[in-house]
Structures are given as C-alpha cells and as structure tokens.
Amino acid sequence: MSSWAKSVLFLLSVAVTMGLASNIFAQGQAARYDLLLKGGHVIDPANDVDRVADVAISAGKIAAVQESIPAGEAGKVVDVTGLYVTPGLIDIHFHVGHGGVPLNWFAPEARSQAAPLGVPADIALGAGVTTVVDAGTSGAETFLQEKMEVIDHARVRVLAFLNIVANGMNGGLEQTVDQMDPQLCAATIKKFPDIIVGVKTAHYWTEQPADALHEPWAAVDRAVECGNLANVPVMFDFWPRPDRTYADLILKKARPGDIHTHVFAQQFPILLADGKLNPILTEARARGVIFDVGHGAGSFWFRNAVPAVKQGFIPDSMSTDLHLGDFTVLSMTEVMSKFLAMGVPIEDLVRAQLRKTEWNTDTREKDLAHLGGLDG
Ligand SMILES: [Zn+2]
C-alpha cells in the first residue's frame, strides 16, 4: 500500500465536483471521453479494484477503468500520479439547515442569539464526499423548510434522518416528550421516501433525574416506534445513566441495522477496567447494530478509540458530525486520517464498511444501500 505520507488523497467525485471538459478535439473530432484521470491509485472496493489505473468519464459517469487509456481519447486529461482515486464518499452524520431555530431571526418569538445548526451542504464536496446524511437537524414540523432551503438546491446529494422531535434540534424543544410523535414522524418519512432514510434521537435528558414527564427511555422508544412504523433504521445519539444503560441500548433497544453514532465519545464504556474491549460491542455487532464515528466537536476521544482500534474494533462508518460550532474537524478526510494514524489501512477506510444486516424488505435494503459508505 502506498503510504499516506507519500501520497495525497485524491477523492474522485466526478459528477458533482468536476466540470465536464469540452469533448471536441481541436481538429473537430469528437473525443471518446470527456475527462481522463491518468495514473492514480484507484480504490473501489465495490468493484474489487485496488491498483494503479486510468479512469475515464463521459457525461458525468465513469465510462472506463483500465490499466492504460490513451490520452488522445479524452477532451481533458488530468495527471493524478501519486494520488488516490476513489468513488464519492458518504458522510452519514452531517448537519444542514436551521433545525428548530425560527427562520426569521428578527421575529418576536425568535431567540435572537440562535444561529442555524447546519453548515453549507456543499462544503462536503471538498473532501470527496458526494452524499451527506443530515442527522436529525429537522423534525416533522421543520423538515420541509430544510428541504426547500437546502436539500433541493445542494450540489452534493443530501439525505436525512428525521428527528423524533417534531421541531428538530436547537429550537429549545428537545426535552419535550410531547414533541416526539411516532405517527407524525413516520407519516413525514413516508411522504419523502427518496430523502428521509431513517430516524434520529439526540440530546435527550442527559443528566437530570427522571420524572413523570421525562421517562429515561422516552426518546429512544419513540424513535424506535417511528422506525418500526416507517420501516427505517434509527440513529441514536445517547447519554447513558444508571436507569438507562449503554448495554441496554445496544443489546436490547437497538434493532439490527440501527446505528449508534458518536461511538468513541467520552460517555460510553468502550473499555473495561483492565483496558480490554467491552464485549457488549462485539455482541451488539453480532446482532447487527452499526457503529458510527460521528466525530463532532467533542464526540471523539482518542483514549477510547486507540485501544478499541488496536483490539480490532473499527467503526462501521466514518462521519464528521459537521455543524456550526464544530471546529474540531473540518472534513471527512480529516476523520479518516485519524484512523489512518491509528493503523487502519486506507483500503479499509475507503471500503463500504456497513455490514449486511437483516432488514427484510426492499425498502430497508434500499435505505441501507444509501448508507453504505460509498457512492457508486
Ligand atoms: Zn450531530
């Protein structure tokens, strides 16, 4: 394998990041390909390609991957010798849009200090990401705004987990259990089946004592109920507590195909007292639970990640959790670089790591394909 130090990662996201070159030769003869990337190290796990090869593109699609394609056959040739070429990456934990913050900041009811939670969707493209999945920034009452403001206009493909909280994130209603309506959540997901691929729960009742209005599992249970009604996976952002343990989340509440994000955050018992990997992780994996990085501003701790990775526990998906206020990492490639530094081979980082799970219906298979880590 080429070393990271010697090679700069070149992430191919042809359709969206590269303008198509003229396809006409000077002498007027039509070129066979619009664009040719020559001499790069292609890593394309889906097609079992891991070697130096030329990649030709026509009309925004990959037309050929061969050992050598003559330069004369393309309208534009880019020498990518010494760089990696991969399919577009998928960032399954990202934030776009306003969430629960009112659109009109100057309205009397707006909290004037509240900025939108999301970042501009297209900044993902710079790291070779061609699909981002918004991780519950909006809920049933705010999704349409996010769709019209961001999703419909982005160059990067934007999918979404719908927040179980109808108002979404950051609007001051994330602790209001009445906001978590599984029926409304499922109905909204069914209305936008091409965009909404799952449910999200986050930030719920982290440290306060439980009371009649705040049952410890309310957010998780309602998110799972919505997931069952809409037949989609749930992504959990979770805070364990004595009456709501991590073991119960990943061994009992999470269904096969559900995702625990922020796996290396400080609050999870990833390691036992003797430094060994907590066996509940392996057990949960065997049940089909998926573990996502969700790096974020404070959700990635080397003290958990390094021993876990050394013992062979590598998250199923890399993701940034980019949002306004996250200045810890700025791109998917930075997240991947941390794992590279921990000894994970780049081929494995590029690989679609989401394992096959036991979703039964076509819908679920389609949803998981969306989340598979790599764009075709
Ligand atoms: Zn997030």
PDB file of all heavy atoms in Angstrom, residues 331-347:
ATOM      1  N   SER A 331     -13.434  18.067   7.908  1.00  0.00           N
ATOM      2  CA  SER A 331     -13.741  17.277   6.719  1.00  0.00           C
ATOM      3  C   SER A 331     -13.704  15.783   7.011  1.00  0.00           C
ATOM      4  O   SER A 331     -13.120  15.331   7.995  1.00  0.00           O
ATOM      5  CB  SER A 331     -12.723  17.571   5.608  1.00  0.00           C
ATOM      6  OG  SER A 331     -11.477  16.978   5.944  1.00  0.00           O
ATOM      7  N   MET A 332     -14.327  15.040   6.112  1.00  0.00           N
ATOM      8  CA  MET A 332     -14.326  13.590   6.178  1.00  0.00           C
ATOM      9  C   MET A 332     -12.897  13.041   6.104  1.00  0.00           C
ATOM     10  O   MET A 332     -12.548  12.083   6.797  1.00  0.00           O
ATOM     11  CB  MET A 332     -15.144  13.074   4.992  1.00  0.00           C
ATOM     12  CG  MET A 332     -15.334  11.603   4.970  1.00  0.00           C
ATOM     13  SD  MET A 332     -16.427  11.085   6.309  1.00  0.00           S
ATOM     14  CE  MET A 332     -17.163   9.672   5.524  1.00  0.00           C
ATOM     15  N   THR A 333     -12.058  13.644   5.269  1.00  0.00           N
ATOM     16  CA  THR A 333     -10.694  13.127   5.140  1.00  0.00           C
ATOM     17  C   THR A 333      -9.905  13.321   6.431  1.00  0.00           C
ATOM     18  O   THR A 333      -9.026  12.522   6.755  1.00  0.00           O
ATOM     19  CB  THR A 333      -9.963  13.789   3.949  1.00  0.00           C
ATOM     20  OG1 THR A 333     -10.304  15.163   3.906  1.00  0.00           O
ATOM     21  CG2 THR A 333     -10.334  13.127   2.658  1.00  0.00           C
ATOM     22  N   GLU A 334     -10.229  14.355   7.201  1.00  0.00           N
ATOM     23  CA  GLU A 334      -9.563  14.510   8.496  1.00  0.00           C
ATOM     24  C   GLU A 334      -9.965  13.393   9.450  1.00  0.00           C
ATOM     25  O   GLU A 334      -9.141  12.869  10.196  1.00  0.00           O
ATOM     26  CB  GLU A 334      -9.915  15.863   9.121  1.00  0.00           C
ATOM     27  CG  GLU A 334      -9.136  17.012   8.531  1.00  0.00           C
ATOM     28  CD  GLU A 334      -9.506  18.309   9.240  1.00  0.00           C
ATOM     29  OE1 GLU A 334      -9.205  18.442  10.433  1.00  0.00           O
ATOM     30  OE2 GLU A 334     -10.111  19.175   8.592  1.00  0.00           O
ATOM     31  N   VAL A 335     -11.244  13.039   9.437  1.00  0.00           N
ATOM     32  CA  VAL A 335     -11.702  11.935  10.287  1.00  0.00           C
ATOM     33  C   VAL A 335     -10.999  10.642   9.860  1.00  0.00           C
ATOM     34  O   VAL A 335     -10.469   9.889  10.690  1.00  0.00           O
ATOM     35  CB  VAL A 335     -13.236  11.769  10.193  1.00  0.00           C
ATOM     36  CG1 VAL A 335     -13.691  10.544  10.980  1.00  0.00           C
ATOM     37  CG2 VAL A 335     -13.940  13.016  10.728  1.00  0.00           C
ATOM     38  N   MET A 336     -10.975  10.402   8.559  1.00  0.00           N
ATOM     39  CA  MET A 336     -10.320   9.187   8.050  1.00  0.00           C
ATOM     40  C   MET A 336      -8.833   9.179   8.418  1.00  0.00           C
ATOM     41  O   MET A 336      -8.264   8.130   8.741  1.00  0.00           O
ATOM     42  CB  MET A 336     -10.504   9.092   6.532  1.00  0.00           C
ATOM     43  CG  MET A 336     -11.938   8.832   6.106  1.00  0.00           C
ATOM     44  SD  MET A 336     -12.200   9.100   4.343  1.00  0.00           S
ATOM     45  CE  MET A 336     -11.379   7.676   3.636  1.00  0.00           C
ATOM     46  N   SER A 337      -8.215  10.370   8.381  1.00  0.00           N
ATOM     47  CA  SER A 337      -6.782  10.452   8.686  1.00  0.00           C
ATOM     48  C   SER A 337      -6.487  10.016  10.112  1.00  0.00           C
ATOM     49  O   SER A 337      -5.440   9.434  10.400  1.00  0.00           O
ATOM     50  CB  SER A 337      -6.271  11.881   8.478  1.00  0.00           C
ATOM     51  OG  SER A 337      -6.418  12.251   7.141  1.00  0.00           O
ATOM     52  N   LYS A 338      -7.406  10.312  11.040  1.00  0.00           N
ATOM     53  CA  LYS A 338      -7.186   9.891  12.425  1.00  0.00           C
ATOM     54  C   LYS A 338      -7.129   8.369  12.514  1.00  0.00           C
ATOM     55  O   LYS A 338      -6.338   7.812  13.275  1.00  0.00           O
ATOM     56  CB  LYS A 338      -8.300  10.436  13.330  1.00  0.00           C
ATOM     57  CG  LYS A 338      -8.232  11.939  13.526  1.00  0.00           C
ATOM     58  CD  LYS A 338      -9.111  12.402  14.671  1.00  0.00           C
ATOM     59  CE  LYS A 338      -8.877  13.890  14.936  1.00  0.00           C
ATOM     60  NZ  LYS A 338      -9.593  14.348  16.130  1.00  0.00           N
ATOM     61  N   PHE A 339      -7.981   7.707  11.752  1.00  0.00           N
ATOM     62  CA  PHE A 339      -7.975   6.242  11.766  1.00  0.00           C
ATOM     63  C   PHE A 339      -6.756   5.686  11.043  1.00  0.00           C
ATOM     64  O   PHE A 339      -6.210   4.654  11.407  1.00  0.00           O
ATOM     65  CB  PHE A 339      -9.291   5.703  11.195  1.00  0.00           C
ATOM     66  CG  PHE A 339     -10.413   5.837  12.189  1.00  0.00           C
ATOM     67  CD1 PHE A 339     -11.122   7.019  12.292  1.00  0.00           C
ATOM     68  CD2 PHE A 339     -10.714   4.809  13.059  1.00  0.00           C
ATOM     69  CE1 PHE A 339     -12.121   7.170  13.244  1.00  0.00           C
ATOM     70  CE2 PHE A 339     -11.709   4.938  14.011  1.00  0.00           C
ATOM     71  CZ  PHE A 339     -12.414   6.127  14.110  1.00  0.00           C
ATOM     72  N   LEU A 340      -6.342   6.403   9.999  1.00  0.00           N
ATOM     73  CA  LEU A 340      -5.110   6.017   9.312  1.00  0.00           C
ATOM     74  C   LEU A 340      -3.939   6.086  10.286  1.00  0.00           C
ATOM     75  O   LEU A 340      -3.084   5.195  10.349  1.00  0.00           O
ATOM     76  CB  LEU A 340      -4.887   6.959   8.132  1.00  0.00           C
ATOM     77  CG  LEU A 340      -3.941   6.502   7.033  1.00  0.00           C
ATOM     78  CD1 LEU A 340      -4.537   5.332   6.270  1.00  0.00           C
ATOM     79  CD2 LEU A 340      -3.641   7.646   6.088  1.00  0.00           C
ATOM     80  N   ALA A 341      -3.926   7.149  11.094  1.00  0.00           N
ATOM     81  CA  ALA A 341      -2.857   7.308  12.081  1.00  0.00           C
ATOM     82  C   ALA A 341      -2.909   6.219  13.150  1.00  0.00           C
ATOM     83  O   ALA A 341      -1.899   5.893  13.763  1.00  0.00           O
ATOM     84  CB  ALA A 341      -2.960   8.694  12.744  1.00  0.00           C
ATOM     85  N   MET A 342      -4.084   5.659  13.370  1.00  0.00           N
ATOM     86  CA  MET A 342      -4.209   4.569  14.355  1.00  0.00           C
ATOM     87  C   MET A 342      -3.916   3.211  13.732  1.00  0.00           C
ATOM     88  O   MET A 342      -4.055   2.183  14.392  1.00  0.00           O
ATOM     89  CB  MET A 342      -5.626   4.567  14.965  1.00  0.00           C
ATOM     90  CG  MET A 342      -5.863   5.710  15.938  1.00  0.00           C
ATOM     91  SD  MET A 342      -7.486   5.579  16.764  1.00  0.00           S
ATOM     92  CE  MET A 342      -8.557   6.348  15.555  1.00  0.00           C
ATOM     93  N   GLY A 343      -3.549   3.208  12.452  1.00  0.00           N
ATOM     94  CA  GLY A 343      -3.104   1.965  11.830  1.00  0.00           C
ATOM     95  C   GLY A 343      -4.123   1.269  10.943  1.00  0.00           C
ATOM     96  O   GLY A 343      -3.869   0.169  10.458  1.00  0.00           O
ATOM     97  N   VAL A 344      -5.275   1.894  10.716  1.00  0.00           N
ATOM     98  CA  VAL A 344      -6.264   1.263   9.827  1.00  0.00           C
ATOM     99  C   VAL A 344      -5.836   1.509   8.376  1.00  0.00           C
ATOM    100  O   VAL A 344      -5.590   2.655   8.002  1.00  0.00           O
ATOM    101  CB  VAL A 344      -7.681   1.841  10.069  1.00  0.00           C
ATOM    102  CG1 VAL A 344      -8.701   1.145   9.177  1.00  0.00           C
ATOM    103  CG2 VAL A 344      -8.065   1.715  11.540  1.00  0.00           C
ATOM    104  N   PRO A 345      -5.718   0.468   7.562  1.00  0.00           N
ATOM    105  CA  PRO A 345      -5.287   0.662   6.172  1.00  0.00           C
ATOM    106  C   PRO A 345      -6.276   1.526   5.380  1.00  0.00           C
ATOM    107  O   PRO A 345      -7.487   1.439   5.616  1.00  0.00           O
ATOM    108  CB  PRO A 345      -5.264  -0.758   5.584  1.00  0.00           C
ATOM    109  CG  PRO A 345      -5.302  -1.678   6.747  1.00  0.00           C
ATOM    110  CD  PRO A 345      -5.972  -0.941   7.865  1.00  0.00           C
ATOM    111  N   ILE A 346      -5.750   2.325   4.484  1.00  0.00           N
ATOM    112  CA  ILE A 346      -6.632   3.223   3.726  1.00  0.00           C
ATOM    113  C   ILE A 346      -7.667   2.438   2.927  1.00  0.00           C
ATOM    114  O   ILE A 346      -8.807   2.874   2.765  1.00  0.00           O
ATOM    115  CB  ILE A 346      -5.825   4.178   2.815  1.00  0.00           C
ATOM    116  CG1 ILE A 346      -6.777   5.214   2.227  1.00  0.00           C
ATOM    117  CG2 ILE A 346      -5.067   3.442   1.732  1.00  0.00           C
ATOM    118  CD1 ILE A 346      -6.113   6.400   1.622  1.00  0.00           C
ATOM    119  N   GLU A 347      -7.303   1.258   2.464  1.00  0.00           N
ATOM    120  CA  GLU A 347      -8.261   0.450   1.707  1.00  0.00           C
ATOM    121  C   GLU A 347      -9.497   0.154   2.564  1.00  0.00           C
ATOM    122  O   GLU A 347     -10.627   0.153   2.087  1.00  0.00           O
ATOM    123  CB  GLU A 347      -7.635  -0.870   1.245  1.00  0.00           C
ATOM    124  CG  GLU A 347      -6.573  -0.721   0.157  1.00  0.00           C
ATOM    125  CD  GLU A 347      -5.204  -0.324   0.696  1.00  0.00           C
ATOM    126  OE1 GLU A 347      -5.075  -0.112   1.925  1.00  0.00           O
ATOM    127  OE2 GLU A 347      -4.268  -0.209  -0.107  1.00  0.00           O
TER     128      GLU A 347
END
